[in-house]
C-alpha cells in the first residue's frame, strides 16, 4: 500500500454524510479510500447504508496509510465499543500519520487523552467536558482545527473538515484551497472560475 491510501473507519451508526466531501475530493485527486471496520463484517450507517469494510482494524498499519478518518456515530456516546478506533488513532499520531475526526469521534479522542495537549474543536466545549478529559484549555471555537497531524471538526462542518484534510495532504493550497472552500461551503460561483482555470 502506498501513502496515497486513506483509511475511513466505518462502524454501525457512523454519520455517512460527514466525510463525503473529503473522500470524494481525495479520490478525484489520486488517493484511494479503503474502509476499516472492527471486523470485515458489514456495518450500517446512520443513513441506513450497508458497508462492507475492506479490512479489519487489527490489520490496519499506519505505515501503509496517508490518513485515518473517524466520523461521528451514536456509538461514540453509548459505551466503549468504538474505543479501539481511538486507540488506533493514537498509533497513527505516534507514527506521524495524520488523523481527522469529526463530531462524536472527537469525544472518542478526548477519552483516549489525545486532545489533552492539542488544539482542537468539536460540537461545543461541554460535549467534550462530559468525557472528563483534561484538554479544555486547548478547545477552539472554530469550524475545524488542525494541530500538527490532528484535524478535528464539529458535526456541522464536513466541508471545513475536508478543507483541512485537503490542505494537510497537499491536494490544494493557497488560492485554490480558498476557492474550493468558498465554492462548497458558501456556494460562491466566482470561486468555480478559479478552480476551473
Amino acid at each position: 500500500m502506498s501513502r496515497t491510501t486513506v483509511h475511513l473507519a466505518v462502524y454501525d451508526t457512523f454519520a455517512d454524510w460527514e466525510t463525503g466531501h473529503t473522500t470524494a475530493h481525495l479520490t478525484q485527486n489520486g488517493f484511494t479510500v479503503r474502509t476499516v471496520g472492527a471486523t470485515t463484517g458489514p456495518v450500517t450507517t446512520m443513513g441506513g447504508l450497508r458497508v462492507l469494510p475492506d479490512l479489519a482494524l487489527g490489520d490496519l498499519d499506519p505505515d501503509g496509510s496517508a490518513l485515518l478518518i473517524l466520523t461521528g456515530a451514536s456509538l461514540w456516546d453509548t459505551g466503549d465499543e468504538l474505543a479501539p478506533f481511538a486507540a488506533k488513532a493514537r498509533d497513527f499520531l505516534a507514527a506521524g500519520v495524520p488523523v481527522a475526526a469529526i463530531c462524536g469521534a472527537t469525544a472518542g479522542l478526548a477519552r483516549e487523552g489525545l486532545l489533552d495537549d492539542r488544539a482542537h474543536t468539536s460540537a461545543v466545549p461541554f460535549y467534550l467536558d462530559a468525557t472528563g478529559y483534561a484538554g479544555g484549555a486547548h478547545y477552539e471555537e472554530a469550524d475545524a482545527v488542525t494541530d500538527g497531524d490532528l484535524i478535528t471538526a464539529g458535526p456541522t462542518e464536513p466541508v471545513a473538515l475536508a478543507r483541512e484534510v485537503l490542505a494537510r495532504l497537499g491536494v490544494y493550497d493557497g488560492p485554490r484551497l480558498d476557492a474550493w472552500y468558498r465554492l462548497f461551503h458558501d456556494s460562491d460561483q466566482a470561486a468555480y472560475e478559479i478552480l476551473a482555470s
Side-chain angles (χ1 to χ4, degrees), residues 18-100:
E18 291 179 341
T19 62
H21 287 89
T22 302
T23 56
H25 289 276
L26 287 174
T27 58
Q28 291 172 15
N29 286 280
F31 287 83
T32 299
V33 176
R34 297 191 71 206
T35 53
V36 182
T39 69
T40 55
V43 299
T44 303
T45 73
M46 199 176 290
L49 302 178
R50 190 168 182 258
V51 177
L52 191 63
D54 294 312
L55 73 156
L57 187 64
D59 297 325
L60 178 59
D61 186 346
D63 289 340
S65 186
L67 172 75
L68 174 62
I69 304 170
L70 302 173
T71 70
S74 301
L75 292 177
W76 285 113
D77 298 320
T78 58
D80 295 329
E81 185 175 340
L82 300 184
F85 289 93
K88 185 61 75 170
R90 176 180 293 284
D91 295 344
F92 267 63
L93 293 171
V97 181
V99 172

